[in-house]
Amino acid sequence: MLAIAFTAWQASRARSALVAVEQHLTSMNAAVSRADTTAAQKELGLGAAAARSAYRNTRGPVWWVGSHLPVLGDDIAAVRTVAVVSRDLTASTLPQLVKAGSTLSGTLLKPSGGKVPLAPIRRIAPSLAEGGEELEAQANQVSDIETGGLLPQIRGPVSGLKEKLVRASTVVTESAAVTRLLPDMLGERAPRTYFLVFQNNAEIKSLGGLGGAFAIVEADDGRIKLTRTSRPAEVGEFGRPVLKPSPGQLAVLGMKPFTQSQNALSDPDFPRGARVLAEMWRRSQGQQIDGVVAVDPVALAYLLRATGPVTVGGRTLTEQNAVDTLLRDVYLQVPTDQAQNAFFAELVRQLFGRLSTGKFDATQLAQALSRGVEERRVLAFSQIPREQKQLAATEIGGVLPTSDERRPEVGVYLNDAGFDKLTYYLNYRTDVTADRCYLGAQRLTVRTVLSSKVPPGPLTPFVVGPGSEGLPLGDMRITVYAYGPVDGRVDALRVDGKARPVNSMTDAGRPVGSVTVDIPRGGKHVIEYTMYSARGQSGRAHLLTTPGAKTDGVGTIGPSAC
C-alpha cells in the first residue's frame, strides 16, 4: 500500500512537471521568435528542470508494472513516454535549435552592401538539419499516443506536449530544408530569375486570389533586384492550354487556369499553377523563369511591420490598413485600371527597395515570413527538380497532398465565379468532425459557412463588376471545391440542410465534390459534405483551405474517431 501511495504521489508530481514543461516551452518559442536569446535560454533551463522532475517521478518498479495493467496501463505508459521525450528534448535537441533559431531570426537575413550574406546561412543549415532529425524522431515517439482514452487529468498535459512537439518537428524540418536551399536559390552558384505573382483576395481563387499583378526578380550571389513589374494584360490570353492538363484537372477546374494567367492559381496545387505561369511568361515575353513565388496583400501587411509604413499615391500604408487599402479602398477611390496598377506597382517597388537594402527589422521580417507561410499566403516553386522536391515537402511548397497513409487529408477551396471584387467582404470557416471509425476508415463531416458582409448602398463598378447572369449586383457567386481524403470518397452534400446531388469528380487521386452558391448581400450559406477516408487513415484529419482577406478559413478540426 505504501508503494502504491508513493506512486500516486509521484504521478501527481509528474503531471505538474509536464504541465510546467509545456508552459516553459511555449514561452521559449515566443522568445526565439523575437530573437531574445537570453529569455529563450532561461525558459529552456526551467523547462529542462521540469522535464527532469517528470522523468524522475515516472521511474520505479510500480510504474513498470502499472504500465502493463488494464485500464490504467495506457495512461501510465503515455506519461512515461512523454516524460522521457521531454527530458531528451530539453537536454540535447532544443539547446542547439535555440541557438540556430535565434541566429536565423536575427541579423542573418539582413543585406550588407546590397547583398544577403550567403555563407552564414550555409553554415547554419547543418545544425538545423541535425536538430530537425532529432526532433522528428522524438515527435514520432509521441505521435502514436492516442489521447482520447486517457484520464482527463492526464490527457491535458500529454495532448499539449504531443501537439506542440509534432508541430515543432514540422516547422524545424521545413526551416532546415528552406535554409539549405536558400543560398542556391539566391544565386550563389548561378544567377536566378523569379516570377512573382501578387494574389488578389478580393477576387478569391483556390490558393488565395486572382493573379492581379506580376513582377520579375533577379538574384545573383545574394544580390536581389526587381527588374520589372507587369500585369495579366501583358501576358495575354492563350487559345489552348500552355501545358497539358490532366483529365481530372479539366473536369474540376475547366480551361481558364491553363489559358489565362490571372486564373492559374485557381488550381489548388501550387506547383501545377506555377509551371503554367512560368510557361505563359516564357511564351509571351521570351524569358526563362527559374522559380515562382506567390504572396497576397495580407502577407504584404505582415511585411510592413518589418519595413515600417510606406507612402504611395498620397496614402500611407501600415500593417493595420494595408489590406483594407489594397483590397477595398483602391477600388472605391482610384478611378481607373491604369491608376490602380500604377499604385500597386509603386508599392511593390518601395517594399522591395527596403527589403533589398536592409531597411527593415530582421526579427519582424522572420516572423512575417513565418506567419505568411503558415497561413499559406507565401508560396514558392523551383523549376530545378532537386530543389522542388525539397520545397514540395514543406508548407511553402503549396502542394495538393496526393498520398497519406495515416491521416485523412481534406481540402476546401473557394473560387469567385462572378466578375467582381466582392470577396473582400466574404467571411468563411470550415470545421471538420469525425464521428465513426471502421477498420481505420473514418466518416467525416466537413462544414463550411460562407457569409457576405457586403455593406448596403451603392458600390463602384470596379467592386461589383459587370454582373453575372441572374446575379443581382452586390451578391456573390462562389464555387466551392471539396477535396476528400486520398483514395477515399465524397459521399453526400447538403446546402442549408437540404440534400443536393454530389457532383463527384477525381483529381490526382483525390475525390472532389463541387457546388456553386449565390450569396445575397448580407446573407449566408452552410455547405456540408460527408466524406470517408481510406482504411488506415486513422489519425486526426488535416485541412487545407483558401486563405482570404479576413480569415485563413480554418475552423475546428475535431479528434480522430478511431
Side-chain angles (χ1 to χ4, degrees):
M1 290 297 294
L2 285 173
I4 293 174
F6 178 69
T7 302
W9 176 74
Q10 282 185 309
S12 175
R13 287 173 60 86
R15 178 191 176 280
S16 298
L18 290 177
V19 170
V21 171
E22 181 184 0
Q23 292 171 343
H24 289 305
L25 293 188
T26 298
S27 299
M28 182 204 73
N29 183 62
V32 170
S33 296
R34 61 178 186 269
D36 188 343
T37 304
T38 301
Q41 290 175 339
K42 177 183 177 182
E43 293 296 336
L44 176 58
L46 293 171
R52 290 193 297 271
S53 174
Y55 177 78
R56 286 195 302 270
N57 284 287
T58 55
R59 303 294 95 193
V62 178
W63 275 91
W64 185 89
V65 172
S67 67
H68 292 79
L69 292 175
V71 183
L72 291 179
D74 289 344
D75 298 81
I76 294 171
V79 171
R80 291 186 77 191
T81 299
V82 172
V84 171
V85 169
S86 297
R87 180 202 61 176
D88 295 344
L89 178 72
T90 55
S92 59
T93 307
L94 287 180
Q96 71 180 47
L97 289 177
V98 166
K99 182 179 179 181
S102 298
T103 302
L104 191 61
S105 62
T107 60
L108 196 60
L109 295 177
K110 202 155 191 175
S112 175
K115 178 181 176 180
V116 176
L118 301 181
I121 297 175
R122 193 171 287 284
R123 282 197 299 270
I124 206 172
S127 296
L128 278 175
E130 182 181 351
E133 290 174 1
E134 292 179 8
L135 195 55
E136 184 178 16
Q138 290 156 344
N140 287 338
Q141 291 186 56
V142 301
S143 63
D144 290 333
I145 297 174
E146 292 293 343
T147 58
L150 300 182
L151 294 173
Q153 59 266 40
I154 296 297
R155 187 186 308 132
V158 170
S159 296
L161 281 168
K162 174 184 173 180
E163 291 182 8
K164 282 183 171 58
L165 190 55
V166 171
R167 176 59 187 162
S169 172
T170 300
V171 170
V172 172
T173 300
E174 295 187 356
S175 298
V178 173
T179 303
R180 186 166 54 247
L181 292 174
L182 205 53
D184 282 347
M185 294 188 74
L186 292 180
E188 184 180 56
R189 302 185 188 186
R192 298 289 184 91
T193 301
Y194 293 100
F195 184 89
L196 269 62
V197 53
F198 298 94
Q199 298 194 79
N200 186 335
N201 313 91
E203 191 168 343
I204 203 165
K205 299 296 176 184
S206 291
L207 290 174
L210 184 86
F214 307 134
I216 298 297
V217 171
E218 295 180 355
D220 186 1
D221 196 26
R223 298 185 186 277
I224 309 170
K225 60 181 179 180
L226 178 73
T227 60
R228 180 177 174 182
T229 59
S230 184
R231 54 197 177 93
E234 295 181 6
V235 177
E237 186 170 343
F238 298 83
R240 301 177 62 183
V242 296
L243 295 176
K244 185 179 180 180
S246 70
Q249 286 176 283
L250 275 179
V252 175
L253 304 170
M255 191 69 74
K256 288 183 179 180
F258 314 102
T259 60
Q260 299 175 351
S261 59
Q262 65 267 37
N263 284 306
L265 299 187
S266 297
D267 192 325
D269 185 76
F270 183 64
R272 297 191 312 204
R275 289 187 182 97
V276 167
L277 286 168
E279 179 62 14
M280 287 179 172
W281 187 259
R282 186 190 69 80
R283 291 194 187 189
S284 65
Q285 307 299 314
Q287 186 177 29
Q288 185 68 40
I289 296 298
D290 297 307
V292 179
V293 176
V295 298
D296 72 4
V298 180
L300 293 181
Y302 298 159
L303 290 177
L304 283 168
R305 177 185 292 184
T307 65
V310 298
T311 300
V312 181
R315 294 173 172 81
T316 299
L317 276 73
T318 66
E319 179 192 12
Q320 289 72 31
N321 70 9
V323 172
D324 291 341
T325 300
L326 295 172
L327 297 181
R328 181 193 63 193
D329 298 347
V330 163
Y331 299 112
L332 295 174
Q333 301 167 6
V334 180
T336 66
D337 273 337
Q338 185 177 7
Q340 292 167 5
N341 291 332
F343 181 89
F344 194 79
E346 179 58 25
L347 169 62
V348 171
R349 280 191 286 269
Q350 288 204 35
L351 269 177
F352 197 86
R354 294 195 181 187
L355 292 172
S356 61
T357 56
K359 296 177 181 177
F360 58 83
D361 182 292
T363 300
Q364 295 288 355
L365 178 66
Q367 292 176 351
L369 292 174
S370 176
R371 185 176 179 185
V373 169
E374 185 175 349
E375 294 178 5
R376 292 167 54 82
R377 300 183 186 280
V378 178
L379 302 170
F381 165 79
S382 174
Q383 294 269 43
I384 298 169
R386 64 176 177 79
E387 294 178 355
Q388 177 54 27
K389 182 179 180 180
Q390 295 182 66
L391 287 174
T394 69
E395 287 181 324
I396 201 172
V399 171
L400 177 72
T402 57
S403 63
D404 200 314
E405 298 178 355
R406 303 187 65 178
R407 67 182 182 185
E409 288 285 351
V410 176
V412 176
Y413 304 101
L414 311 184
N415 282 266
D416 190 342
F419 302 95
D420 52 56
K421 297 292 186 290
L422 287 168
T423 55
Y424 164 83
Y425 302 101
L426 177 66
N427 283 359
Y428 56 95
R429 168 186 168 127
T430 295
D431 300 309
V432 181
T433 57
D435 66 352
R436 183 180 298 175
C437 176
Y438 179 71
L439 295 177
Q442 300 186 67
R443 184 174 72 178
L444 308 171
T445 298
V446 181
R447 185 176 189 267
T448 300
V449 180
L450 305 169
S451 303
S452 167
K453 302 300 180 182
V454 176
L459 296 167
T460 69
F462 288 111
V463 176
V464 298
S468 301
E469 183 177 353
L471 188 69
L473 294 179
D475 290 2
M476 300 183 200
R477 179 166 290 165
I478 304 295
T479 297
V480 180
Y481 298 122
Y483 278 67
V486 178
D487 296 326
R489 72 180 193 269
V490 177
D491 194 65
L493 166 65
R494 293 170 297 279
V495 178
D496 300 327
K498 297 180 180 178
R500 285 204 191 178
V502 176
N503 182 19
S504 186
M505 300 164 284
T506 302
D507 180 16
R510 301 278 297 273
V512 185
S514 74
V515 63
T516 300
V517 294
D518 292 348
I519 311 174
R521 192 184 298 220
K524 77 172 185 177
H525 285 298
V526 179
I527 299 169
E528 285 188 343
Y529 275 100
T530 300
M531 301 179 179
Y532 288 85
S533 74
R535 289 186 179 182
Q537 295 174 357
S538 58
R540 184 188 183 197
H542 179 243
L543 173 67
L544 295 179
T545 190
T546 302
K550 301 291 188 180
T551 175
D552 64 6
V554 178
T556 300
I557 314 300
S560 168
C562 295

